[in-house]
Amino acid sequence: EIVMTQSPATLSVSPGERATLSCRASQSVSNNVAWYQQKPGLAPRLLIYGASTRATGIPARFSGSGSGTEFTLTISSLQSEDFAVYYCQQYKNWPPWTFGQGTKVEIK
Amino acid sequence: QVQLVQSGAEVKKPGSSVKVSCKASGGTFNSHAISWVRQAPGQGLEWMGGIIPILGAGHYAQKYQGRVTITADESTRTAYMELRSLRSEDTAIYYCARAQAPPPYNNGMVLWGQGTTVTVS
């Protein structure tokens, strides 16, 4: 099973600042990584797929990068609506597809 | 509007089973993977298993092998997840989610159901 490890667990950021979230895979997943945003009480929302492609309707301040085992989600200028929990997920091989444990982005 | 609509909340006794449904309205159903993802209270997302309806066979995370069955009915555009031998640790929100593209691309899970709360007590 491919293990996805996210860091940090919690990121404290001021509105307008840049946030950088990391995700590491235990073995290469090529670019088969997605990022999701989840707000309390809601289902996750797909932000990024293919490691770097924004999903439909996702603002340009969200960007993804990486390949192989190291991946990054960057939010260039945090807006109030961006404070949430973010998950990476690999979909290279199933079963299983696996998620990271999540990074909570909170207001500093 | 393309959406996945799940069945309602369930309260179950330990040792019993639960079967959650996920009905697709609009969009592609047969050729895109449907996954089941669960989230225990205050915890992260956990992929349980999935199915590509046109292929028919469920695929499961090892943790759930033998205890979960995922099926799909193409005629009603509905996927199902049955979890047996329930214990208190199975108390969670269960989501169905559809891949954005057919395999081998998949491209993440773009469409999510609203979630079904299962309480085991």
Side-chain angles (χ1 to χ4, degrees), chain A residues 1-60:
Chain A
E1 174 176 319
I2 299 173
V3 177
M4 304 296 281
T5 303
Q6 291 186 241
S7 61
T10 304
L11 189 59
S12 298
V13 186
S14 299
E17 289 188 340
R18 181 187 195 92
T20 303
L21 289 66
S22 297
C23 178
R24 173 176 293 176
S26 60
Q27 60 185 271
S28 177
V29 294
S30 185
N31 68 337
N32 295 292
V33 165
W35 289 91
Y36 301 86
Q37 176 193 68
Q38 189 180 31
K39 296 180 179 179
L42 297 179
R45 177 174 71 145
L46 177 67
L47 298 176
I48 300 285
Y49 64 93
S52 61
T53 303
R54 278 190 302 278
T56 302
I58 301 303

Side-chain angles (χ1 to χ4, degrees), chain A residues 4-11 21-23 35-38 84-89 98-105, chain B residues 39 43-46:
Chain A
M4 304 296 281
T5 303
Q6 291 186 241
S7 61
T10 304
L11 189 59
L21 289 66
S22 297
C23 178
W35 289 91
Y36 301 86
Q37 176 193 68
Q38 189 180 31
V85 181
Y86 293 83
Y87 296 92
C88 62
Q89 178 235 338
T98 46
F99 289 92
Q101 77 276 27
T103 292
K104 181 180 181 180
V105 177
Chain B
Q39 187 167 39
Q43 303 302 307
L45 303 173
E46 182 179 24

Side-chain angles (χ1 to χ4, degrees), chain B:
Chain B
Q1 184 179 356
V2 180
Q3 56 181 348
L4 298 176
V5 179
Q6 298 183 222
S7 50
E10 302 264 12
V11 179
K12 294 293 183 179
K13 296 288 188 187
S16 66
S17 300
V18 68
K19 190 170 186 177
V20 182
S21 67
C22 170
K23 184 173 177 61
S25 62
T28 303
F29 177 77
N30 290 351
S31 60
H32 290 41
I34 301 279
S35 291
W36 287 89
V37 176
R38 84 175 191 180
Q39 187 167 39
Q43 303 302 307
L45 303 173
E46 182 179 24
W47 188 87
M48 300 176 67
I51 190 168
I52 300 165
I54 199 170
L55 298 181
H59 299 267
Y60 309 109
Q62 188 168 6
K63 175 180 178 179
Y64 297 99
Q65 281 279 0
R67 205 160 70 93
V68 68
T69 301
I70 294 172
T71 56
D73 183 335
E74 294 180 68
S75 66
T76 60
R77 298 169 59 89
T78 304
Y80 299 91
M81 185 282 298
E82 182 179 32
L83 187 61
R84 300 176 291 278
S85 302
L86 290 168
R87 36 215 190 219
S88 58
E89 310 90 88
D90 295 317
T91 294
I93 299 173
Y94 291 77
Y95 293 102
C96 62
R98 197 206 76 187
Q100 181 168 213
Y105 307 106
N106 297 300
N107 290 345
M109 294 178 279
V110 69
L111 196 58
W112 291 71
Q114 81 276 20
T116 297
T117 299
V118 176
T119 302
V120 183
S121 176

